[in-house]
Amino acid sequence: MKPPPTDDSTRPAAPGRRRLAALLCAAWTMTAMAAGEPALIRYPAFPQGSETRFQPYLDLLREAVEHTNAKYGPAALQPSSRIMNESRYLQELQQGNLDVIWSSATEERERQMLAVRIPLDKGLLGYRIALIPADRQTAMAGVRDLAGLRRLRVGQGLGWGDIQLYRYNGIKVTEAGYELLFSMLDKKRFDLFPRGIGEIFSEFDSRSPSYPGLAVDKTLLLYYPWPYYFFFNRERGAELAKRVEEGMRLMLKDGSYDRFFLQHYGAAIRRAELDNRTLIRLENPLLPKDTPLDDARLWYRPGR
């Protein structure tokens, strides 16, 4: 069990305080294991309406931890007391107020935090299909390459890492809060809202009653390598990172990682009809050089 955060837990700790906190956390963990109590793993609470985006990551974390209960003892997952966006929970993890987060991989993040380099969705998040105004289906069918895509404007959430990627590829971006993007697209403030294959259909189904003028584009498939990983605090999270990685590798070995992927994303992949789409590849300048792209077990490839 981890000690509860203090009133000043959102402020960066001094080096001496960080060492003391690490020792206290270790002591609490050993005490909890000796008492048979589950260790507490704190993760960022996500807003209502984001379940289809983040719940699979939480389910995967839970299953990976359960695969290692025999070695490390039981654990309980606990959400943060406040809802957090990505920029906030990246900060909270580094300050030690969270134990695990999920985020896209960049060179900077892998320097600042410990990453378990197993993509949470086999890299499916890098395959993007767009929400568009329904009356622009025909116009979208005329986009065949990156030059055509550069004539359009995409919508992205505030602070999302993809913003830098799209701009690096010469694509114009409009930024807004996540929920606001659907309304703005409905009003044609921008042209398309690219979403991961595992996200788009549930988002469209839940929001089409409010925005009947939106549609799922039928013709384009954007791709850029965009692995989402579990990240841990570099000073305090090594043991938990080791446990989660061991659990995920056990899932790879016994086939439960593949079963998990198909259970959560198989229906969306079939619905996407990828064979009927024009593929446009984008470069990801943020991708760490040692990303394990050659390990075929970890990555989804259409048609494979």
Side-chain angles (χ1 to χ4, degrees), residues 6 19 27 51 69 148 169 199 251 253 262 294:
T6 59
R19 288 192 293 271
E51 291 84 359
N69 278 349
N169 285 272
E199 301 171 322
M251 293 178 68
K253 185 176 181 179
L262 290 175
D294 294 333

Side-chain angles (χ1 to χ4, degrees), residues 174-228:
T174 291
E175 299 178 58
Y178 170 68
E179 285 297 335
L180 184 58
L181 287 166
F182 298 95
S183 172
M184 293 176 65
L185 181 62
D186 187 57
K187 296 173 182 175
K188 301 180 182 179
R189 302 282 179 82
F190 52 90
D191 300 297
L192 67 161
F193 184 16
R195 308 299 296 135
I197 290 174
E199 301 171 322
I200 187 166
F201 297 110
S202 57
E203 290 178 340
F204 172 72
D205 292 343
S206 63
R207 290 168 178 82
S208 56
S210 300
Y211 306 109
L214 298 185
V216 176
D217 171 57
K218 298 177 181 179
T219 59
L220 289 184
L221 176 64
L222 310 183
Y223 173 70
Y224 45 91
W226 195 251
Y228 242 59

